[in-house]
Amino acid sequence: MNMSGMTFTVDDAVAIARVAHQGQVDKSGNPYIGHPLRVMGRVSGEHARMAAVLHDVVEDTVVTAEDLLAAGCPPEVVETVLALSHREGEPQEDYLRRVSADPVALVVKRADIADNTSPPRMALLDQPTRDRLLAKYARALDLLDQHA
């Protein structure tokens, strides 16, 4: 239950993400919130949609897991968001193993990578950045496939 006594909804998750990411821009200078909204659009089911729109909130903003729980976000969604949050200094393989252990996180991570590597987004980046990111995401998908 959130503070109004109502059940936490996907719209509540979107509202938290919009506030958390306010003022942030992506690598091409567009408002960052577009990315989590597009990732959310690539998944189905309330748990996955909530986790998708919140997937970068704990990692990239001042919002904590405790803040999400206090706002009424379901604990299982917060667990998935934490699985998707890359920790400082954490090896990529350890991070992706944790993502793979949560079936919803795995679906969201694949949608995240699909958005990050989409042709319209890649077209906005210079070639060295594009090459570096494509190699990084190809390796991530390989590791996810190994752990799945």
Side-chain angles (χ1 to χ4, degrees):
M1 296 284 200
N2 62 19
M3 289 167 275
S4 66
M6 304 293 285
T7 303
F8 191 88
T9 65
V10 170
D11 287 342
D12 294 325
V14 169
I16 289 170
R18 283 189 185 282
V19 171
H21 291 299
Q22 197 160 10
Q24 292 181 335
V25 294
D26 64 16
K27 287 179 178 70
S28 52
N30 293 312
Y32 191 82
I33 189 63
H35 169 64
L37 289 172
R38 287 189 305 272
V39 174
M40 183 181 79
R42 290 176 177 268
V43 299
S44 57
E46 285 206 2
H47 180 163
R49 288 172 54 80
M50 287 180 197
V53 80
L54 294 170
H55 80 272
D56 282 334
V57 166
V58 172
E59 184 177 328
D60 294 338
T61 78
V62 298
V63 175
T64 65
E66 292 74 24
D67 295 332
L68 293 175
L69 291 168
C73 189
E76 62 274 15
V77 172
V78 176
E79 287 293 317
T80 298
V81 170
L82 289 175
L84 289 159
S85 300
H86 195 240
R87 297 167 189 158
E88 197 172 337
E90 180 180 34
Q92 183 79 345
E93 185 149 351
D94 293 351
Y95 163 63
L96 294 170
R97 189 174 292 115
R98 187 174 64 251
V99 169
S100 296
D102 179 321
V104 177
L106 185 58
V107 167
V108 172
K109 186 63 184 174
R110 289 184 187 282
D112 177 37
I113 291 171
D115 183 64
N116 283 330
T117 58
S118 68
R121 287 197 81 188
M122 286 284 128
L124 298 171
L125 304 173
D126 61 73
Q127 194 63 48
T129 302
R130 208 178 338 205
D131 292 345
R132 180 180 58 79
L133 290 175
L134 287 172
K136 171 187 161 182
Y137 292 126
R139 180 172 181 275
L141 287 171
D142 283 346
L143 289 169
L144 288 173
D145 289 342
Q146 287 172 27
H147 297 305

